[in-house]
Amino acid sequence: QVQLVESGGGLVQPGGSLRVSCAASGFTFSNYYMSWVRQAPGKGLEWVSTINTAGGLTYYADSLKGRFTISRDNAKNTLYLQMNTLKPEDTALYYCAKLWGESMDYWGKGTLVTVSS
């Protein structure tokens, strides 16, 4: 069965950096686009970034360009999100999701990132 398990969240000070990971299993990871989506406390889901199968094409929400970097290691079946210059408004539960066409058909349970001094 498909499993997506996020890790690496935690408390970071404003201006700091953090890398979250998503370990994938139960499907051929290298065959699928993958995405990161976040949900801030009390708010709706916000798409963050998407990466193609080989990792050569990446897409970002306009508000995050330049601070966040998505990447993947197909040999390790792992998706990453490097987050730099973090702001309090980046505080959220970060989910990874597998794409099927334009839909996100499987999601992890999320990892919490808190940006606070």
Side-chain angles (χ1 to χ4, degrees), residues 75-92:
K76 296 182 177 179
N77 291 344
T78 303
L79 178 72
Y80 302 100
L81 184 68
Q82 176 69 43
M83 302 179 286
N84 298 327
T85 319
L86 283 161
K87 305 174 182 180
E89 52 264 43
D90 295 318
T91 294

Side-chain angles (χ1 to χ4, degrees), residues 17-18 32 37 49 73 76 83 108:
S17 297
L18 199 64
Y32 294 91
V37 179
S49 183
D73 185 335
K76 296 182 177 179
M83 302 179 286

Side-chain angles (χ1 to χ4, degrees), residues 29-32 34 52-55 72-78:
F29 180 71
S30 59
N31 285 357
Y32 294 91
M34 297 292 295
N52 74 334
T53 54
R72 66 192 297 163
D73 185 335
N74 286 341
K76 296 182 177 179
N77 291 344
T78 303

Side-chain angles (χ1 to χ4, degrees), residues 4-69:
L4 298 170
V5 180
E6 300 92 340
S7 62
L11 175 64
V12 60
Q13 291 189 340
S17 297
L18 199 64
R19 187 179 79 162
V20 293
S21 303
C22 171
S25 61
F27 66 103
T28 305
F29 180 71
S30 59
N31 285 357
Y32 294 91
Y33 281 50
M34 297 292 295
S35 288
W36 287 99
V37 179
R38 69 183 184 182
Q39 186 169 29
K43 297 191 176 181
L45 293 169
E46 177 187 17
W47 170 74
V48 172
S49 183
T50 295
I51 189 168
N52 74 334
T53 54
L57 291 175
T58 56
Y59 309 88
Y60 298 93
D62 286 344
S63 61
L64 301 176
K65 282 180 183 176
R67 294 197 298 124
F68 287 17
T69 303

